[in-house]
Amino acid sequence: MIPLELLAPAKNLECGIAAVDHGADAVYLGAQRFGARAAAGNSVEDIRQLCDYAHRFAVKVYVTVNTIIYDKELEATEQLIRQLADIGVDAILVQDMGILKMDIPPIALHASTQTDNRTAEKVKWLRDIGFRRIVLARELSVDEITEIHHQVPDVELEVFVHGALCVSYSGICYASEYCFGRSANRGACAQFCRMKYDLLDADGREIDHQRHLLSLKDMNQSDHLEELIQAGATSFKIEGRLKDVSYVKNVVAAYSQRLDAFIAKHPDQYCRASQGHCTYSFTPNLNKTFNRGFTTYFLHGRQPNIFSPDTPKAMGEYVGYVKEIRRDSFNVAGTASFANGDGLCFINQDRELEGFRVNRAEGNRLYPQQMPQHLHAGMALYRNNDQEFERLLSRKSSERKIPLVFHLESTDDGFALSSEDVKVSIICEHQQAEKPQRENIIRQLSKLGGTPYECSRVELPYDFNYFIPSSLLTDLRRLIVKELQVSERNASCRVDRFPLTGRNVPPIRSKDTACFRDSYELNISNRLARAFYAEQGLSDVVPAFELSHQRNALLMQCRHCLRYALGACVKHGGKKPQWHEPLYLRLGDGRRFRLDFDCRNCQMNVYATD
């Protein structure tokens, strides 16, 4: 039986608990420091509380320690990892290889997507040095994932399935650090890829003006989970550690239902990685939660329309088009229903996103707080804030319970109650019942409110005819709940980690594998990382970009390609471009960045021009 894991983000303790309640098998979040989302940090005490809650359902908790680390931070990082291990965290996500040289307790290590994991060679190398799980690059196709799993079948593969997309391969984006002194590898990305650019050719001719040319749509693989499972992935990750609780509730519930539906078709092959089932008071709908429009990215190879050049903001769901406009209102042609307070938006004639709030809705006639100046008949409308849906999610919207089958039987000196692998007993005189006791026994044993359990069935021997006082049945019920919780806590304490090998793994020097590049792209920022790579046969290294600031540096490696997006990639059926290369991106402040099209690797590189 192969366990499948839905991995949910948590900005804070509230979001983490909501993720568990709505069907996550694991939750990932950041500590107060050293996570790749600096704005999403949590205290060790909050993480401990989340572990206690999640482990009731055998849900795992992973903490991101996936920034590069400076020498002065090594001691604090080691201390943090020790604290995380002490409170029961199930794994840490790692980017900096210096952590492998620390004296840390046995805690599972996951190789963050920040370690740039796009080839089987890289995945094998990471497995060999001690990583239990590899988080694959978002850009990989289902065929590439299949090939990695085929070559390295004995390591867990985690894939992103939903949420925001970085335009650069993760871990090798230096644009934010270069432009603003804010390192993406240190959790302080300034979102360079969401900015506006002019596109210029080598002659200075403007090909495109002030558009979000690097801003990608959001990933949505909800219809393709089966392909990813069959490719060998076992953990399915939702992006969003800066998202609010309603995002977590809706997206986790939607994917949990999809996973359950798949498992229901293959009950002998797959199961969920945690325990419990959820009941929802709302119908999950991915279109109603923050999104920039959806794409499956490179799941089936290169495809058009993966970026959103008009806006980096949330568009939401399409609700119809503007039919007729009056002085203070307009009506919408479509089947959507509206509520007072809904947030709507449209792309105006200047290709800018414009939004407004509905003050009053009367059927399909809407009265905005202020009529949008650029709204015209025929324009498509999108809803990026659904008041009624948000109202549903603001309340308790799910309950998660672990179904139990109780088996009650008599013993020599009393009665025993068992469930799963747990058995408890009480001493009690056997009294023959004068009237049937089955209904009262079931009623008393089923009173599991306030616990993570629910009774799905009580089994009694066919000749069971004893009277047991309700107080003793209550004692049996409380005893077994206590023992079940102890059993789950013990199970969650199992260390599931590949041992650090301590041997010299043969270095992989092929440039294409991105394992051992003789440049700042190894992100070596401390003495322990330098010592680690020296053991791997690489002693002469360039410090991380954050420490060296190379001139004319490669700032991004992108599978997104503007030549292809603009229909000028001959390799993929486009027309021969009329411009002269190299092309340049120009920010509003005049700074330029050279584009290099690496057609052999089907990749666009972005270079600094200093």
Side-chain angles (χ1 to χ4, degrees), residues 544-563:
F545 182 81
E546 287 78 359
L547 300 177
S548 59
H549 273 247
Q550 304 287 307
R551 294 181 61 82
N552 301 310
L554 173 60
L555 300 179
M556 286 182 167
Q557 294 182 28
C558 313
R559 208 162 196 177
H560 168 54
C561 175
L562 284 173
R563 185 192 276 174

Side-chain angles (χ1 to χ4, degrees), residues 67-107:
T67 63
I68 59 172
I69 302 161
Y70 294 155
D71 277 323
K72 64 182 180 180
E73 299 167 332
L74 290 172
E75 184 177 346
T77 305
E78 185 172 321
Q79 182 181 8
L80 172 64
I81 295 171
R82 288 184 169 278
Q83 290 176 313
L84 295 174
D86 286 344
I87 64 173
V89 165
D90 298 284
I92 57 171
L93 283 85
V94 172
Q95 175 184 190
D96 196 309
M97 295 300 156
I99 288 176
L100 276 70
K101 296 291 291 178
M102 292 179 179
D103 182 19
I104 57 175
I107 186 170

Side-chain angles (χ1 to χ4, degrees), residues 445-556:
L445 293 180
S446 298
K447 292 180 179 179
L448 293 167
T451 76
Y453 308 108
E454 65 181 7
C455 179
S456 60
R457 192 169 74 253
V458 176
E459 296 178 344
L460 300 170
Y462 75 93
D463 59 349
F464 192 93
N465 189 36
Y466 296 107
F467 169 75
I468 308 175
S470 294
S471 61
L472 293 183
L473 289 170
T474 299
D475 289 344
L476 272 174
R477 186 187 71 235
R478 288 174 176 167
L479 281 171
I480 199 164
V481 166
K482 183 178 180 180
E483 289 302 312
L484 284 166
Q485 290 174 333
V486 169
S487 176
E488 286 161 8
R489 280 197 297 271
N490 291 338
S492 71
C493 291
R494 289 197 302 265
V495 175
D496 190 19
R497 169 185 178 180
F498 279 5
L500 300 183
T501 59
R503 59 187 173 87
N504 283 329
V505 179
I508 307 168
R509 296 207 177 268
S510 167
K511 187 176 181 180
D512 293 339
T513 65
C515 290
F516 285 88
R517 292 183 296 269
D518 295 332
S519 78
Y520 56 84
E521 294 169 46
L522 286 170
N523 297 325
I524 298 173
S525 59
N526 60 72
R527 64 180 184 276
L528 293 184
R530 285 194 296 275
F532 169 82
Y533 280 106
E535 289 178 358
Q536 306 302 314
L538 190 64
S539 56
D540 184 18
V541 297
V542 177
F545 182 81
E546 287 78 359
L547 300 177
S548 59
H549 273 247
Q550 304 287 307
R551 294 181 61 82
N552 301 310
L554 173 60
L555 300 179
M556 286 182 167

Side-chain angles (χ1 to χ4, degrees), residues 8-288:
K11 177 171 67 174
N12 51 33
L13 177 59
E14 179 192 13
C15 288
I17 290 174
V20 175
D21 288 345
H22 288 73
D25 300 295
V27 178
Y28 69 102
L29 73 168
Q32 287 179 321
R33 298 178 67 189
F34 313 124
R37 295 289 185 275
N42 294 275
S43 69
V44 171
E45 173 57 23
D46 279 357
I47 297 171
R48 183 194 64 76
Q49 290 185 45
L50 179 58
C51 288
D52 289 346
Y53 187 80
H55 289 165
R56 299 179 191 177
F57 301 95
V59 171
K60 293 187 176 181
V61 176
Y62 308 141
V63 175
T64 57
V65 189
N66 59 341
T67 63
I68 59 172
I69 302 161
Y70 294 155
D71 277 323
K72 64 182 180 180
E73 299 167 332
L74 290 172
E75 184 177 346
T77 305
E78 185 172 321
Q79 182 181 8
L80 172 64
I81 295 171
R82 288 184 169 278
Q83 290 176 313
L84 295 174
D86 286 344
I87 64 173
V89 165
D90 298 284
I92 57 171
L93 283 85
V94 172
Q95 175 184 190
D96 196 309
M97 295 300 156
I99 288 176
L100 276 70
K101 296 291 291 178
M102 292 179 179
D103 182 19
I104 57 175
I107 186 170
L109 301 178
H110 294 179
S112 168
T113 190
Q114 296 293 118
T115 54
D116 186 21
N117 310 318
R118 43 177 143 155
T119 66
E121 293 89 347
K122 182 66 173 291
V123 170
K124 182 179 183 299
W125 179 73
L126 288 165
R127 180 207 61 187
D128 288 347
I129 62 173
F131 286 95
R132 174 73 183 179
R133 175 183 295 183
I134 315 300
V135 187
L136 295 179
R138 296 168 176 87
E139 291 82 355
L140 297 186
S141 70
V142 69
D143 289 340
E144 289 169 318
I145 296 168
T146 300
E147 181 60 23
I148 288 171
H149 177 63
H150 175 73
Q151 292 194 38
V152 199
D154 56 347
V155 69
E156 296 173 6
L157 299 180
E158 180 180 305
V159 296
F160 285 88
V161 293
H162 198 89
L165 288 165
C166 301
V167 73
S168 177
Y169 283 99
S170 293
I172 50 171
C173 178
Y174 310 102
S176 180
E177 169 68 21
Y178 173 79
C179 288
F180 310 107
R182 292 176 52 178
S183 168
N185 282 317
R186 298 271 296 162
C189 175
Q191 296 201 309
F192 177 89
C193 58
R194 304 297 180 190
M195 296 178 177
K196 282 184 176 181
Y197 299 94
D198 300 323
L199 182 64
L200 311 175
D201 74 359
D203 301 325
R205 183 169 65 92
E206 192 171 272
I207 300 167
D208 217 336
H209 178 71
Q210 287 296 285
R211 302 191 79 197
H212 303 275
L213 297 172
L214 299 179
S215 183
L216 300 179
K217 293 180 178 179
D218 287 0
M219 179 182 280
N220 181 346
Q221 308 290 21
S222 59
D223 291 331
H224 303 280
L225 293 178
E226 182 168 352
E227 292 174 77
L228 291 167
I229 292 166
Q230 293 177 348
T234 56
S235 180
F236 307 94
K237 187 172 197 168
I238 298 166
E239 174 66 74
R241 278 196 292 130
L242 296 177
K243 295 294 193 294
D244 60 21
V245 70
S246 63
Y247 175 94
V248 172
K249 288 181 174 183
N250 184 36
V251 178
V252 170
Y255 275 87
S256 185
Q257 289 183 340
R258 296 294 181 100
L259 273 183
D260 284 344
F262 171 78
I263 290 170
K265 295 178 183 177
H266 309 275
D268 298 327
Q269 293 176 263
Y270 299 96
C271 63
R272 293 296 291 268
S274 63
Q275 295 181 325
H277 68 89
C278 301
T279 54
Y280 305 105
S281 61
F282 71 104
T283 302
N285 185 337
L286 294 173
N287 292 317
K288 290 183 179 294

